[in-house]
Amino acid sequence: MSAFINEVTIMGNLGRKPELRYFANGTANLRVSLATTEKWTDKDTGEIQSSTEWHSVLLRGGQAERVAEYMDAGDKLWVRGKIKARQYTDSDGIIRVISEVHTKEMKIINTRNRKKTNDDPVHPEDIENTEEPEDDPLESFM
């Protein structure tokens, strides 16, 4: 067992309609942005404040296909995975580094097509086991 842990769990809303793509080997690939919003009351003014974080999430295989088929902008998705950094060169030739969540498990919480009856929190027994194989076809793209 490793002494290190790289695991993240996020539940948020999709920023836009998912666009499914396929690798040359036929594996489905989907990148989505998930928004998580934290709210609090300002101690000085009593006003409600909020801050939204955007998370880049990568799904592949059956997970990618399900999210692309059933979800749209604003729908809620729960994911568990690991954080990976990736480097790319932008259109100006500048090398950029981004962090993204590579999903191992996911659960569609609600969609415009299939809403839950209330906003109950996710319980472990509700989580669909959607683990994808450990071999990562994206390794060759990083």
Side-chain angles (χ1 to χ4, degrees), residues 77-90:
L77 179 67
W78 177 96
V79 297
R80 180 181 295 159
K82 61 184 174 181
I83 298 173
K84 284 191 148 187
R86 179 171 61 86
Q87 169 172 305
Y88 69 96
T89 304
D90 70 11

Side-chain angles (χ1 to χ4, degrees), residues 14 17-22 28-30 32 59-72 75-79 103-114 127-133:
L14 266 62
K17 182 169 180 56
E19 294 180 30
L20 188 63
R21 298 176 188 212
Y22 289 89
N29 177 43
L30 180 65
V32 295
L59 301 113
R60 43 179 214 268
Q63 296 174 341
E65 291 171 332
R66 281 189 294 285
V67 169
E69 181 177 355
Y70 294 109
M71 299 191 78
D72 203 344
D75 292 343
K76 192 176 290 185
L77 179 67
W78 177 96
V79 297
T103 303
K104 290 186 177 259
E105 296 178 78
M106 69 90 175
K107 174 78 174 179
I108 295 172
I109 302 302
N110 66 19
T111 68
R112 294 169 198 232
N113 298 330
R114 186 185 74 202
I127 297 167
E128 176 181 341
N129 185 0
T130 58
E131 284 198 31
E132 293 292 329

Side-chain angles (χ1 to χ4, degrees), residues 14-135:
L14 266 62
R16 64 176 177 230
K17 182 169 180 56
E19 294 180 30
L20 188 63
R21 298 176 188 212
Y22 289 89
F23 289 115
N25 69 2
T27 302
N29 177 43
L30 180 65
R31 282 189 206 297
V32 295
S33 291
L34 281 185
T36 56
T37 302
E38 177 182 3
K39 294 183 180 185
W40 68 94
T41 303
D42 185 290
K43 291 179 183 177
D44 296 329
T45 66
E47 293 180 22
I48 295 177
Q49 303 290 321
S50 68
S51 174
T52 300
E53 295 287 333
W54 289 93
H55 310 276
S56 179
V57 176
L58 175 68
L59 301 113
R60 43 179 214 268
Q63 296 174 341
E65 291 171 332
R66 281 189 294 285
V67 169
E69 181 177 355
Y70 294 109
M71 299 191 78
D72 203 344
D75 292 343
K76 192 176 290 185
L77 179 67
W78 177 96
V79 297
R80 180 181 295 159
K82 61 184 174 181
I83 298 173
K84 284 191 148 187
R86 179 171 61 86
Q87 169 172 305
Y88 69 96
T89 304
D90 70 11
S91 58
D92 296 324
I94 299 171
I95 296 174
R96 306 276 183 185
V97 177
I98 63 168
S99 294
E100 53 195 5
V101 176
H102 286 224
T103 303
K104 290 186 177 259
E105 296 178 78
M106 69 90 175
K107 174 78 174 179
I108 295 172
I109 302 302
N110 66 19
T111 68
R112 294 169 198 232
N113 298 330
R114 186 185 74 202
K115 300 262 186 217
K116 282 189 97 170
T117 56
N118 56 34
D119 284 331
D120 287 339
V122 177
H123 300 286
E125 62 272 10
D126 295 336
I127 297 167
E128 176 181 341
N129 185 0
T130 58
E131 284 198 31
E132 293 292 329
E134 281 297 315
D135 59 324

